[in-house]
Amino acid sequence: MRTVYRLVLNAVIVAALMASSAAPASVPTLAACLEASDFIVNAALSRDNGMTRQAFIDRLNGDFVAIRAFPSELRWFVRDEDDERFLENAAEHVFDAPSAPAVHRREFLQACFERLGI
């Protein structure tokens, strides 16, 4: 868990230094990465409580359809198709390679931080 906190602290420092630079739509913010990591933890908890991969992914794709009704700038993590694929792939990984929720969070944060350039 210390590694996650260290990664988050490093990300906050880098994000603060880069605050003045604009990011393309498919590059998430630090806050979005952290919030999406909560989503990935919840995916793992759903899996552990018996939800099937197909049911979870179907619901996620249904959410994507609903989210597309809002302008990109008003959306949370999934602002475009790249974001949708990134989050869906991470959710699929939760079901395809089961690990503890904290492990999935760490893996997701590493991948998300890479999208940030951290």
Side-chain angles (χ1 to χ4, degrees):
M1 205 57 171
R2 284 184 181 156
T3 303
V4 172
Y5 291 122
R6 197 171 337 163
L7 283 171
V8 171
L9 178 60
N10 289 339
V12 169
I13 292 168
V14 171
L17 293 173
M18 298 174 57
S20 64
S21 63
S26 65
V27 176
T29 64
L30 175 62
C33 285
L34 295 173
E35 291 173 9
S37 76
D38 290 339
F39 176 82
I40 293 302
V41 166
N42 288 332
L45 294 172
S46 295
R47 177 204 64 212
D48 292 348
N49 285 312
M51 187 170 226
T52 67
R53 177 188 193 273
Q54 190 62 50
F56 191 89
I57 297 304
D58 286 348
R59 182 167 294 176
L60 178 62
N61 283 308
D63 290 346
F64 289 159
V65 170
I67 290 168
R68 286 183 208 125
F70 296 92
S72 179
E73 62 274 5
L74 296 179
R75 298 179 196 170
W76 166 68
F77 189 81
V78 289
R79 294 178 183 245
D80 59 27
E81 282 187 40
D82 288 340
D83 292 342
E84 289 179 10
R85 295 299 69 81
F86 182 73
L87 191 60
E88 183 174 2
N89 288 340
E92 288 173 343
H93 180 72
V94 165
F95 288 88
D96 295 343
S99 291
V103 170
H104 286 293
R105 180 193 304 273
R106 184 180 68 243
E107 292 172 349
F108 179 83
L109 283 171
Q110 287 172 335
C112 199
F113 290 166
E114 286 176 16
R115 290 181 89 199
L116 280 167
I118 295 175

